[in-house]
Structure formats: structure tokens, C-alpha cells
Coordinates of all heavy atoms in Angstrom, one line a residue:
M1 N -96.0 -148.2 -36.6 CA -96.6 -148.3 -37.9 C -95.6 -147.7 -38.9 O -95.3 -146.5 -38.9 CB -97.9 -147.5 -37.9 CG -98.9 -148.2 -37.2 SD -100.6 -147.6 -37.7 CE -101.3 -147.2 -36.2
A2 N -95.2 -148.5 -39.6 CA -94.1 -148.1 -40.7 C -94.7 -147.1 -41.8 O -95.8 -147.2 -42.1 CB -93.4 -149.2 -41.4
G3 N -94.0 -146.1 -42.2 CA -94.5 -145.2 -43.1 C -95.2 -143.9 -42.6 O -95.5 -143.1 -43.3
L4 N -95.7 -144.0 -41.4 CA -96.2 -142.8 -40.9 C -95.3 -141.8 -40.5 O -94.3 -142.2 -39.7 CB -97.2 -143.1 -39.7 CG -98.4 -143.9 -40.0 CD1 -99.2 -144.2 -38.7 CD2 -99.3 -143.3 -41.0
R5 N -95.5 -140.4 -40.8 CA -94.5 -139.4 -40.3 C -94.9 -139.0 -39.0 O -96.2 -138.9 -38.6 CB -94.6 -138.3 -41.4 CG -94.1 -138.6 -42.7 CD -94.2 -137.4 -43.6 NE -95.5 -137.1 -44.1 CZ -96.0 -136.0 -44.7 NH1 -94.9 -135.1 -45.0 NH2 -97.2 -135.8 -45.0
P6 N -94.0 -138.5 -38.2 CA -94.2 -137.9 -36.9 C -95.0 -136.6 -37.1 O -95.0 -135.9 -38.2 CB -92.9 -137.6 -36.3 CG -92.0 -137.5 -37.5 CD -92.5 -138.5 -38.6
W7 N -95.8 -136.2 -36.1 CA -96.8 -134.9 -36.3 C -95.8 -133.7 -36.7 O -96.5 -132.9 -37.4 CB -97.5 -134.8 -35.0 CG -96.7 -134.4 -33.8 CD1 -96.2 -135.1 -32.9 CD2 -96.4 -132.9 -33.5 NE1 -95.6 -134.4 -32.0 CE2 -95.6 -133.1 -32.3 CE3 -96.6 -131.7 -34.1 CZ2 -95.1 -132.0 -31.7 CZ3 -96.2 -130.6 -33.3 CH2 -95.4 -130.6 -32.2
E8 N -94.7 -133.6 -36.4 CA -93.8 -132.4 -36.6 C -93.6 -132.3 -38.0 O -93.4 -131.1 -38.5 CB -92.5 -132.4 -35.8 CG -92.7 -132.5 -34.2 CD -92.6 -133.8 -33.7 OE1 -93.0 -134.8 -34.5 OE2 -92.1 -134.0 -32.6
E9 N -93.7 -133.3 -38.8 CA -93.5 -133.2 -40.2 C -94.8 -133.2 -41.1 O -94.8 -133.0 -42.4 CB -92.6 -134.4 -40.7 CG -91.4 -134.6 -40.0 CD -90.5 -135.9 -40.5 OE1 -91.0 -136.5 -41.5 OE2 -89.6 -136.2 -39.8
L10 N -95.9 -133.1 -40.4 CA -97.1 -133.0 -41.2 C -97.5 -131.5 -41.7 O -97.0 -130.6 -41.0 CB -98.3 -133.4 -40.3 CG -98.4 -134.7 -39.7 CD1 -99.5 -135.0 -38.8 CD2 -98.5 -135.8 -41.0
P11 N -97.9 -131.4 -42.8 CA -98.1 -130.1 -43.3 C -99.3 -129.2 -42.5 O -100.2 -129.9 -41.9 CB -98.8 -130.3 -44.8 CG -99.4 -131.6 -44.8 CD -98.5 -132.4 -43.8
I12 N -99.0 -127.8 -42.4 CA -100.0 -127.1 -41.5 C -101.3 -127.0 -42.2 O -101.4 -126.8 -43.5 CB -99.4 -125.8 -41.4 CG1 -98.1 -125.9 -40.5 CG2 -100.4 -124.8 -40.7 CD1 -97.3 -124.6 -40.3
G13 N -102.4 -127.3 -41.5 CA -103.7 -127.2 -42.1 C -104.3 -125.8 -42.1 O -103.7 -124.9 -41.6
G14 N -105.5 -125.8 -42.6 CA -106.3 -124.5 -42.6 C -106.8 -124.2 -41.1 O -106.9 -124.9 -40.3
A15 N -107.1 -122.9 -41.1 CA -107.6 -122.5 -39.7 C -109.2 -121.9 -40.1 O -109.3 -121.2 -41.0 CB -106.8 -121.3 -39.1
V16 N -110.0 -122.2 -39.1 CA -111.4 -121.7 -39.2 C -111.5 -120.5 -38.1 O -111.4 -120.9 -36.9 CB -112.4 -122.8 -39.0 CG1 -113.8 -122.3 -38.9 CG2 -112.3 -123.9 -40.0
E17 N -112.0 -119.4 -38.6 CA -112.2 -118.4 -37.6 C -113.3 -118.6 -36.6 O -114.4 -119.2 -37.1 CB -112.4 -117.0 -38.3 CG -111.3 -116.4 -39.1 CD -110.2 -116.1 -38.2 OE1 -110.4 -115.6 -37.2 OE2 -109.0 -116.3 -38.7
P18 N -113.1 -118.5 -35.4 CA -114.2 -119.0 -34.4 C -115.4 -118.0 -34.3 O -116.4 -118.5 -33.9 CB -113.4 -119.1 -33.1 CG -112.4 -117.9 -33.2 CD -111.9 -117.9 -34.6
D19 N -115.3 -116.8 -34.8 CA -116.4 -116.0 -34.4 C -117.8 -116.4 -34.8 O -118.8 -116.2 -34.0 CB -116.1 -114.5 -35.0 CG -117.1 -113.5 -34.6 OD1 -117.3 -113.3 -33.5 OD2 -117.7 -112.9 -35.7
P20 N -118.0 -117.0 -36.1 CA -119.4 -117.3 -36.4 C -119.9 -118.3 -35.5 O -121.2 -118.5 -35.2 CB -119.2 -117.9 -37.8 CG -118.1 -117.3 -38.4 CD -117.1 -117.1 -37.1
A21 N -119.1 -119.2 -35.0 CA -119.7 -120.3 -34.0 C -120.0 -119.7 -32.6 O -120.8 -120.2 -32.0 CB -118.6 -121.3 -34.0
L22 N -119.2 -118.5 -32.3 CA -119.4 -118.1 -30.9 C -120.7 -117.3 -30.9 O -121.4 -117.2 -29.9 CB -118.3 -117.1 -30.6 CG -117.0 -117.9 -30.3 CD1 -115.9 -116.8 -30.0 CD2 -117.0 -118.8 -29.1
R23 N -121.2 -116.6 -32.0 CA -122.3 -115.8 -32.0 C -123.4 -116.2 -33.2 O -123.6 -115.3 -34.1 CB -121.9 -114.3 -32.2 CG -121.0 -113.8 -31.1 CD -121.6 -113.8 -29.7 NE -122.7 -112.7 -29.7 CZ -123.5 -112.5 -28.7 NH1 -123.3 -113.3 -27.6 NH2 -124.2 -111.4 -28.7
P24 N -123.7 -117.3 -33.2 CA -124.7 -117.8 -34.2 C -126.0 -117.0 -34.1 O -126.4 -116.8 -33.0 CB -124.9 -119.2 -34.1 CG -124.6 -119.4 -32.6 CD -123.6 -118.4 -32.1
R25 N -126.6 -116.5 -35.2 CA -127.8 -115.7 -35.1 C -129.0 -116.7 -35.1 O -129.8 -116.7 -36.0 CB -127.9 -114.7 -36.3 CG -126.8 -113.7 -36.3 CD -126.9 -112.7 -35.2 NE -125.8 -111.9 -35.0 CZ -125.6 -111.3 -33.7 NH1 -126.4 -111.4 -32.8 NH2 -124.5 -110.6 -33.6
T26 N -129.2 -117.4 -33.9 CA -130.3 -118.5 -33.9 C -131.5 -117.8 -33.9 O -132.5 -118.6 -34.2 CB -130.1 -119.3 -32.7 OG1 -129.6 -118.3 -31.6 CG2 -128.9 -120.2 -32.7
G27 N -131.7 -116.6 -33.8 CA -133.1 -115.9 -33.8 C -133.7 -116.0 -35.3 O -134.7 -115.8 -35.4
G28 N -132.8 -116.2 -36.3 CA -133.1 -116.4 -37.6 C -134.0 -117.5 -37.9 O -134.7 -117.5 -38.9
W29 N -134.1 -118.5 -37.0 CA -135.0 -119.6 -37.3 C -135.8 -119.9 -35.9 O -136.0 -121.0 -35.5 CB -134.2 -120.9 -37.6 CG -132.9 -121.2 -36.9 CD1 -131.6 -120.6 -37.3 CD2 -132.7 -122.1 -35.9 NE1 -130.6 -121.1 -36.4 CE2 -131.3 -122.0 -35.5 CE3 -133.5 -123.0 -35.1 CZ2 -130.7 -122.8 -34.4 CZ3 -132.9 -123.7 -34.1 CH2 -131.6 -123.6 -33.8
R30 N -136.3 -118.8 -35.5 CA -137.2 -118.9 -34.3 C -138.3 -119.7 -34.6 O -139.0 -119.8 -35.7 CB -137.6 -117.5 -33.7 CG -138.1 -117.4 -32.3 CD -137.9 -116.2 -31.6 NE -138.2 -115.0 -32.4 CZ -137.3 -114.1 -32.9 NH1 -136.1 -114.2 -32.4 NH2 -137.6 -113.1 -33.6
T31 N -139.0 -120.3 -33.4 CA -140.1 -121.4 -33.6 C -141.5 -120.8 -34.0 O -142.3 -121.3 -34.4 CB -140.2 -122.1 -32.3 OG1 -140.6 -121.0 -31.3 CG2 -139.1 -122.8 -31.8
G32 N -141.5 -119.5 -34.0 CA -142.8 -118.7 -34.1 C -143.4 -118.3 -32.8 O -144.3 -117.4 -32.9
L33 N -142.8 -118.5 -31.7 CA -143.0 -117.9 -30.5 C -141.7 -117.1 -30.0 O -140.7 -117.4 -30.4 CB -143.3 -118.9 -29.5 CG -144.5 -119.7 -29.6 CD1 -144.6 -120.8 -28.7 CD2 -145.8 -118.9 -29.6
R34 N -142.1 -116.1 -29.2 CA -140.9 -115.4 -28.6 C -141.4 -115.0 -27.1 O -142.5 -115.0 -26.8 CB -140.6 -114.0 -29.3 CG -141.7 -113.0 -29.3 CD -141.3 -111.8 -30.0 NE -142.5 -110.9 -30.2 CZ -142.9 -110.0 -29.3 NH1 -142.3 -110.0 -28.0 NH2 -143.9 -109.3 -29.5
P35 N -140.3 -114.9 -26.2 CA -140.6 -114.5 -24.8 C -141.0 -113.1 -24.6 O -140.5 -112.3 -25.3 CB -139.3 -115.0 -24.1 CG -138.2 -114.6 -25.2 CD -138.8 -115.1 -26.4
Q36 N -141.9 -113.0 -23.6 CA -142.4 -111.6 -23.2 C -142.4 -111.6 -21.7 O -142.8 -112.5 -21.2 CB -143.7 -111.3 -23.9 CG -144.1 -109.9 -23.6 CD -145.5 -109.6 -24.4 OE1 -146.5 -110.1 -24.0 NE2 -145.4 -108.8 -25.4
V37 N -141.7 -110.5 -21.1 CA -141.6 -110.6 -19.7 C -142.4 -109.4 -19.2 O -142.5 -108.3 -19.6 CB -140.2 -110.5 -19.3 CG1 -139.6 -109.1 -19.6 CG2 -140.1 -110.6 -17.8
D38 N -143.0 -109.7 -17.9 CA -143.7 -108.6 -17.1 C -142.6 -108.3 -16.1 O -142.4 -109.0 -15.1 CB -144.9 -109.2 -16.5 CG -145.5 -108.1 -15.6 OD1 -144.9 -107.1 -15.3 OD2 -146.6 -108.4 -14.9
L39 N -141.9 -107.2 -16.2 CA -140.8 -106.7 -15.4 C -141.2 -106.6 -13.9 O -140.6 -106.8 -12.9 CB -140.1 -105.6 -16.0 CG -139.2 -105.9 -17.1 CD1 -138.5 -104.6 -17.6 CD2 -138.0 -106.7 -16.7
D40 N -142.5 -106.2 -13.7 CA -142.9 -106.0 -12.4 C -142.9 -107.4 -11.5 O -142.7 -107.3 -10.3 CB -144.4 -105.6 -12.4 CG -144.5 -104.1 -12.8 OD1 -143.4 -103.4 -12.9 OD2 -145.6 -103.7 -13.3
G41 N -142.9 -108.5 -12.1 CA -143.0 -109.7 -11.5 C -141.5 -110.3 -11.5 O -141.2 -111.4 -10.7
C42 N -140.5 -109.7 -12.1 CA -139.2 -110.3 -12.2 C -138.5 -110.1 -10.7 O -138.5 -109.1 -10.2 CB -138.4 -109.6 -13.2 SG -136.7 -110.2 -13.3
V43 N -137.9 -111.3 -10.2 CA -137.3 -111.2 -9.0 C -135.8 -111.2 -9.2 O -134.9 -111.3 -8.2 CB -137.7 -112.3 -8.1 CG1 -139.2 -112.2 -7.6 CG2 -137.3 -113.6 -8.7
N44 N -135.3 -111.1 -10.4 CA -133.9 -111.0 -10.9 C -133.1 -112.2 -10.4 O -132.0 -112.0 -9.9 CB -133.2 -109.6 -10.3 CG -132.1 -109.2 -11.0 OD1 -132.0 -109.5 -12.3 ND2 -131.1 -108.8 -10.4
C45 N -133.7 -113.4 -10.3 CA -132.9 -114.5 -10.0 C -131.9 -115.0 -11.0 O -130.8 -115.7 -10.8 CB -133.8 -115.7 -9.8 SG -134.7 -116.3 -11.2
L46 N -132.1 -114.5 -12.3 CA -131.3 -114.8 -13.4 C -131.1 -116.3 -13.8 O -130.3 -116.7 -14.4 CB -129.9 -114.3 -13.2 CG -129.7 -112.7 -13.2 CD1 -128.3 -112.4 -13.1 CD2 -130.4 -112.1 -14.3
L47 N -132.2 -117.0 -13.3 CA -132.2 -118.5 -13.8 C -132.5 -118.5 -15.2 O -132.0 -119.5 -15.9 CB -133.4 -119.2 -13.1 CG -133.0 -119.8 -11.7 CD1 -134.3 -120.5 -11.1 CD2 -131.9 -120.8 -11.8
C48 N -133.2 -117.6 -15.9 CA -133.4 -117.7 -17.3 C -132.0 -117.6 -18.0 O -131.8 -118.1 -19.1 CB -134.3 -116.5 -17.7 SG -134.0 -114.9 -17.1
W49 N -131.1 -116.7 -17.5 CA -129.8 -116.5 -18.1 C -129.0 -117.8 -18.0 O -128.3 -118.1 -18.9 CB -129.2 -115.4 -17.4 CG -127.7 -115.0 -17.8 CD1 -127.3 -114.4 -18.8 CD2 -126.5 -115.5 -17.1 NE1 -126.0 -114.3 -18.9 CE2 -125.5 -115.0 -17.8 CE3 -126.3 -116.2 -15.8 CZ2 -124.1 -115.2 -17.4 CZ3 -125.0 -116.4 -15.5 CH2 -123.9 -115.9 -16.2
V50 N -129.2 -118.4 -16.9 CA -128.4 -119.8 -16.6 C -128.9 -120.7 -17.7 O -128.1 -121.5 -18.2 CB -128.6 -120.2 -15.2 CG1 -128.1 -121.6 -15.1 CG2 -127.8 -119.1 -14.2
Y51 N -130.0 -120.9 -17.9 CA -130.7 -122.0 -18.6 C -130.9 -121.6 -20.1 O -130.8 -122.6 -21.0 CB -132.0 -122.4 -18.1 CG -131.9 -123.3 -16.9 CD1 -132.0 -122.9 -15.6 CD2 -131.7 -124.6 -17.1 CE1 -131.9 -123.6 -14.5 CE2 -131.5 -125.5 -15.9 CZ -131.7 -124.9 -14.7 OH -131.6 -125.8 -13.6
C52 N -130.8 -120.4 -20.5 CA -131.0 -120.1 -21.9 C -129.9 -120.7 -22.7 O -128.7 -120.4 -22.5 CB -131.0 -118.7 -22.1 SG -131.1 -118.2 -23.9
P53 N -130.1 -121.6 -23.7 CA -129.1 -122.3 -24.5 C -128.5 -121.4 -25.6 O -127.6 -121.8 -26.1 CB -129.8 -123.5 -25.2 CG -131.2 -122.9 -25.4 CD -131.5 -122.1 -24.1
D54 N -129.0 -120.1 -25.8 CA -128.5 -119.4 -26.9 C -128.0 -118.0 -26.4 O -127.9 -117.1 -27.3 CB -129.6 -119.2 -27.9 CG -129.9 -120.5 -28.6 OD1 -129.0 -121.0 -29.3 OD2 -131.1 -121.0 -28.5
S55 N -127.7 -117.8 -25.2 CA -127.3 -116.6 -24.6 C -128.1 -115.4 -25.1 O -127.5 -114.2 -25.4 CB -125.8 -116.4 -25.2 OG -124.9 -117.5 -24.7
A56 N -129.4 -115.6 -25.0 CA -130.3 -114.5 -25.4 C -130.9 -113.7 -24.3 O -131.7 -112.9 -24.6 CB -131.4 -115.1 -26.2
I57 N -130.5 -113.9 -23.2 CA -130.8 -113.3 -21.9 C -129.9 -112.0 -21.8 O -128.7 -112.3 -21.6 CB -131.0 -114.0 -20.7 CG1 -131.9 -115.2 -20.9 CG2 -131.5 -113.2 -19.6 CD1 -133.3 -115.0 -21.3
R58 N -130.3 -110.8 -21.9 CA -129.4 -109.6 -21.7 C -129.6 -109.4 -20.2 O -130.4 -109.3 -19.5 CB -130.0 -108.6 -22.4 CG -130.0 -108.7 -24.0 CD -130.5 -107.6 -24.7 NE -129.7 -106.4 -24.5 CZ -130.3 -105.2 -24.0 NH1 -131.6 -105.1 -23.7 NH2 -129.6 -104.3 -23.7
V59 N -128.2 -109.1 -19.8 CA -127.9 -108.7 -18.3 C -127.2 -107.5 -18.3 O -126.0 -107.4 -19.0 CB -127.2 -109.9 -17.5 CG1 -126.9 -109.4 -16.1 CG2 -128.1 -111.2 -17.6
V60 N -127.6 -106.5 -17.6 CA -126.8 -105.2 -17.5 C -126.7 -104.9 -15.9 O -127.7 -104.9 -15.3 CB -127.7 -104.1 -18.2 CG1 -127.0 -102.7 -17.9 CG2 -127.8 -104.3 -19.6
D61 N -125.4 -104.7 -15.6 CA -125.2 -104.3 -14.3 C -125.7 -105.4 -13.4 O -126.2 -105.1 -12.1 CB -125.6 -102.9 -13.7 CG -124.9 -101.8 -14.5 OD1 -123.7 -102.1 -14.9 OD2 -125.5 -100.8 -14.7
G62 N -125.6 -106.6 -13.7 CA -126.1 -107.7 -12.8 C -127.6 -108.0 -12.8 O -128.0 -108.8 -11.9
A63 N -128.3 -107.3 -13.7 CA -129.7 -107.4 -13.5 C -130.4 -107.8 -15.0 O -129.9 -107.4 -16.0 CB -130.3 -106.1 -13.2
F64 N -131.5 -108.6 -14.8 CA -132.1 -109.1 -16.1 C -132.6 -107.7 -16.8 O -133.1 -106.8 -16.3 CB -133.3 -109.8 -15.7 CG -134.3 -110.2 -16.7 CD1 -133.9 -111.3 -17.6 CD2 -135.4 -109.5 -17.1 CE1 -134.8 -111.7 -18.6 CE2 -136.1 -109.6 -18.2 CZ -135.9 -110.9 -18.9
A65 N -132.2 -107.8 -18.0 CA -132.4 -106.7 -19.0 C -133.2 -107.1 -20.3 O -133.0 -106.3 -21.3 CB -131.2 -105.9 -19.2
G66 N -133.8 -108.1 -20.3 CA -134.7 -108.4 -21.6 C -134.1 -109.5 -22.4 O -133.1 -110.2 -22.0
F67 N -134.4 -109.6 -23.6 CA -134.2 -110.7 -24.5 C -133.4 -110.0 -25.7 O -133.8 -109.1 -26.2 CB -135.3 -111.5 -25.0 CG -136.1 -111.9 -23.8 CD1 -137.2 -111.2 -23.4 CD2 -135.8 -113.1 -23.1 CE1 -138.0 -111.7 -22.5 CE2 -136.6 -113.5 -22.1 CZ -137.6 -112.9 -21.6
D68 N -132.3 -110.8 -26.2 CA -131.8 -110.5 -27.5 C -132.5 -111.3 -28.6 O -132.0 -112.6 -28.8 CB -130.3 -110.6 -27.5 CG -129.6 -110.3 -28.8 OD1 -130.3 -110.1 -29.8 OD2 -128.4 -110.1 -28.7
L69 N -133.3 -110.7 -29.4 CA -134.0 -111.7 -30.4 C -133.3 -112.0 -31.5 O -133.7 -112.8 -32.3 CB -135.3 -110.9 -30.7 CG -136.4 -110.6 -29.7 CD1 -137.6 -109.9 -30.1 CD2 -136.8 -111.9 -29.1
D70 N -132.1 -111.3 -31.7 CA -131.2 -111.9 -32.7 C -130.8 -113.3 -32.4 O -130.4 -114.1 -33.2 CB -130.0 -111.0 -32.8 CG -130.3 -109.8 -33.7 OD1 -131.3 -109.9 -34.4 OD2 -129.5 -108.8 -33.7
L71 N -130.8 -113.7 -31.1 CA -130.3 -115.0 -30.6 C -131.3 -115.8 -30.1 O -131.1 -117.1 -30.2 CB -129.3 -114.8 -29.5 CG -127.9 -113.8 -29.8 CD1 -127.2 -113.7 -28.6 CD2 -127.1 -114.4 -31.0
C72 N -132.4 -115.3 -29.7 CA -133.6 -116.2 -29.2 C -134.2 -117.1 -30.2 O -134.7 -116.5 -31.3 CB -134.6 -115.3 -28.5 SG -136.0 -116.2 -28.1
K73 N -134.3 -118.4 -30.0 CA -135.0 -119.2 -31.1 C -136.4 -119.6 -30.5 O -136.9 -120.6 -31.2 CB -134.1 -120.4 -31.4 CG -133.8 -121.3 -30.2 CD -132.7 -122.4 -30.6 CE -132.5 -123.4 -29.4 NZ -131.2 -124.0 -29.5
G74 N -136.8 -119.2 -29.3 CA -138.1 -119.4 -29.0 C -138.4 -120.8 -28.4 O -139.4 -121.3 -28.5
C75 N -137.2 -121.3 -27.6 CA -137.4 -122.7 -27.2 C -138.2 -122.8 -25.9 O -138.6 -123.9 -25.5 CB -136.0 -123.1 -27.0 SG -135.2 -122.3 -25.5
E76 N -138.6 -121.8 -25.3 CA -139.5 -121.7 -24.1 C -138.9 -122.1 -22.7 O -139.4 -122.2 -21.8 CB -140.8 -122.5 -24.3 CG -141.4 -122.2 -25.7 CD -142.8 -123.0 -25.9 OE1 -143.6 -123.1 -24.8 OE2 -143.1 -123.5 -26.9
I77 N -137.6 -122.4 -22.9 CA -137.0 -122.9 -21.7 C -136.9 -121.7 -20.5 O -137.2 -122.0 -19.4 CB -135.4 -123.3 -21.9 CG1 -135.4 -124.5 -22.7 CG2 -134.6 -123.4 -20.5 CD1 -134.0 -125.0 -23.2
C78 N -136.8 -120.5 -20.9 CA -136.7 -119.5 -20.0 C -138.1 -119.3 -19.3 O -138.1 -119.1 -18.1 CB -136.4 -118.0 -20.6 SG -137.3 -117.6 -22.0
A79 N -139.1 -119.5 -20.0 CA -140.5 -119.4 -19.4 C -140.8 -120.6 -18.5 O -141.4 -120.3 -17.4 CB -141.6 -119.4 -20.5
A80 N -140.1 -121.8 -18.8 CA -140.4 -122.9 -18.0 C -139.6 -122.9 -16.7 O -140.1 -123.3 -15.5 CB -139.9 -124.1 -18.9
V81 N -138.5 -122.2 -16.7 CA -137.6 -122.2 -15.4 C -137.9 -121.0 -14.6 O -137.5 -120.9 -13.5 CB -136.1 -122.2 -15.8 CG1 -135.9 -123.7 -16.6 CG2 -135.7 -121.1 -16.5
C82 N -138.6 -120.0 -15.1 CA -138.7 -118.7 -14.4 C -139.5 -118.9 -13.1 O -140.8 -119.3 -13.2 CB -139.4 -117.6 -15.2 SG -139.9 -116.2 -14.3
P83 N -139.0 -118.9 -11.8 CA -139.8 -119.2 -10.7 C -141.0 -118.2 -10.4 O -141.9 -118.6 -9.7 CB -138.7 -119.1 -9.5 CG -137.6 -118.1 -10.0 CD -137.7 -118.4 -11.5
A84 N -140.9 -117.0 -11.0 CA -141.9 -116.0 -10.7 C -143.1 -116.1 -11.8 O -143.9 -115.4 -11.7 CB -141.3 -114.7 -10.8
E85 N -142.8 -117.0 -12.7 CA -143.7 -117.2 -13.9 C -144.1 -115.8 -14.5 O -145.3 -115.6 -14.8 CB -145.0 -117.9 -13.5 CG -144.6 -119.3 -12.8 CD -146.0 -120.1 -12.4 OE1 -147.1 -119.4 -12.4 OE2 -145.8 -121.2 -11.9
T86 N -143.1 -115.0 -14.7 CA -143.3 -113.8 -15.3 C -142.9 -113.6 -16.7 O -142.9 -112.6 -17.4 CB -142.6 -112.7 -14.5 OG1 -143.0 -111.4 -14.7 CG2 -141.1 -112.7 -14.6
I87 N -142.5 -114.8 -17.3 CA -142.2 -114.8 -18.8 C -143.1 -115.6 -19.6 O -143.6 -116.9 -19.0 CB -140.7 -115.5 -19.1 CG1 -139.7 -114.7 -18.5 CG2 -140.7 -115.6 -20.6 CD1 -138.2 -115.4 -18.5
A88 N -143.9 -115.0 -20.5 CA -144.9 -115.8 -21.3 C -144.4 -115.7 -22.8 O -143.7 -114.8 -23.3 CB -146.1 -114.9 -21.2
M89 N -144.6 -116.8 -23.5 CA -144.3 -117.0 -24.8 C -145.5 -116.5 -25.6 O -146.7 -116.9 -25.4 CB -144.1 -118.6 -25.1 CG -143.0 -119.1 -24.3 SD -141.3 -118.2 -24.6 CE -141.0 -118.5 -26.1
V90 N -145.2 -115.6 -26.6 CA -146.2 -115.0 -27.2 C -146.0 -115.3 -28.9 O -144.8 -115.6 -29.1 CB -146.3 -113.6 -27.0 CG1 -146.7 -113.3 -25.6 CG2 -145.1 -112.8 -27.3
A91 N -147.0 -115.2 -29.7 CA -146.7 -115.2 -31.0 C -145.8 -114.3 -31.6 O -145.8 -113.0 -31.2 CB -148.1 -115.0 -31.7
D92 N -144.8 -114.7 -32.3 CA -143.7 -113.9 -33.0 C -144.2 -113.1 -34.2 O -144.5 -113.7 -35.2 CB -142.4 -114.7 -33.2 CG -141.3 -113.7 -33.7 OD1 -141.3 -112.6 -33.6 OD2 -140.3 -114.5 -34.0
D93 N -144.4 -111.8 -34.0 CA -144.9 -111.1 -35.2 C -143.9 -110.6 -36.1 O -144.1 -109.7 -36.9 CB -145.9 -110.1 -34.7 CG -145.3 -109.0 -33.6 OD1 -144.0 -109.1 -33.4 OD2 -145.9 -108.3 -33.0
G94 N -142.7 -111.0 -35.8 CA -141.6 -110.6 -36.6 C -140.9 -109.3 -36.1 O -139.9 -108.9 -36.7
Ligands
SF4_101 S1 -137.0 -118.7 -25.6 FE1 -135.8 -118.2 -23.7 S2 -134.4 -119.8 -23.3 FE2 -135.0 -120.1 -25.4 S3 -133.7 -119.1 -26.6 FE3 -135.2 -117.5 -26.2 S4 -134.6 -116.4 -24.3 FE4 -133.4 -118.3 -24.5
SF4_102 S1 -136.1 -116.2 -14.4 FE1 -137.8 -115.0 -14.3 S2 -137.6 -113.9 -12.2 FE2 -135.6 -114.8 -12.8 S3 -134.3 -113.1 -13.9 FE3 -135.4 -114.4 -15.5 S4 -137.3 -113.2 -15.7 FE4 -136.7 -112.5 -13.8

């Protein structure tokens, strides 16, 4: 194609810092429900951590450690996949 410059001659474009995309505060638009766990029933399978689309499951030393509500958008997936049925979705009182 005549007239097109090789990529080496193109002007350098702008750069977008990746951080906001890596840690979006999805908890800011939660559905109105939030997960609540009964830790006595947790078998530490971490399926909730695998399936949570927003990295809102906290894991400390390889063990389930609750939810990060700054990231949780209330999608209910963790409650649906928990084999111990120990996660319940409750009204989000803020
Ligand atoms: S409801 Fe559960 S799966 Fe959905 S974002 Fe919150 S912690 Fe993650
Ligand atoms: S899916 Fe349920 S049993 Fe498994 S780690 Fe999460 S809360 Fe615990």
C-alpha cells in the first residue's frame, strides 16, 4: 500500500496507567445484596475464590478469610458454587 509509513516511523502514542483497570472498586455498584458466611460450615475449598469475578474473596495463609466489600458487587456466584452452602446473600445495609 503506497503512502503508508513503516511502524518504526509512527509517532509514539500515549500510555494509560494500568492500575485503575487492575483494581476497579466494583463494590461501589453492588446489587443490593452482599455475601455473608457461616465460618463454622466452611471447608476451605476456595471454590468461591476461583469463581468470584471481582477478586473479592480474601485468602490469608491459604485459607478463606472473608470478603472484600470494596470489590464485591453482589453477583451471588460465590453462594451458588459453595459446596457447603455456607454463604448466604443478605440485604446490603451499606
Ligand atoms: S457476591 Fe461473591 S462472587 Fe460475587 S463479587 Fe461478591 S464475593 Fe465475588
Ligand atoms: S466455597 Fe464455601 S466452603 Fe469453599 S472456601 Fe468458600 S465459603 Fe468456604
Side-chain angles (χ1 to χ4, degrees):
M1 292 196 230
L4 292 180
R5 291 182 288 171
W7 68 267
E8 296 92 334
E9 296 178 12
L10 296 177
I12 296 174
V16 177
E17 294 296 327
D19 186 59
L22 291 176
R23 300 293 290 176
R25 296 291 169 203
T26 39
W29 43 278
R30 199 159 36 249
T31 59
L33 297 174
R34 64 176 172 81
Q36 188 174 66
V37 68
D38 175 2
L39 281 176
D40 289 340
C42 176
V43 296
N44 204 38
C45 66
L46 295 183
L47 274 180
C48 52
W49 176 79
V50 170
Y51 280 95
C52 175
D54 291 296
S55 302
I57 305 296
R58 296 179 58 240
V59 175
V60 176
D61 294 332
F64 173 85
F67 307 97
D68 184 341
L69 293 180
D70 280 344
L71 302 176
C72 170
K73 65 186 178 205
C75 69
E76 307 184 43
I77 291 174
C78 55
V81 301
C82 176
E85 299 183 356
T86 197
I87 298 175
M89 299 304 294
V90 299
D92 185 6
D93 54 12

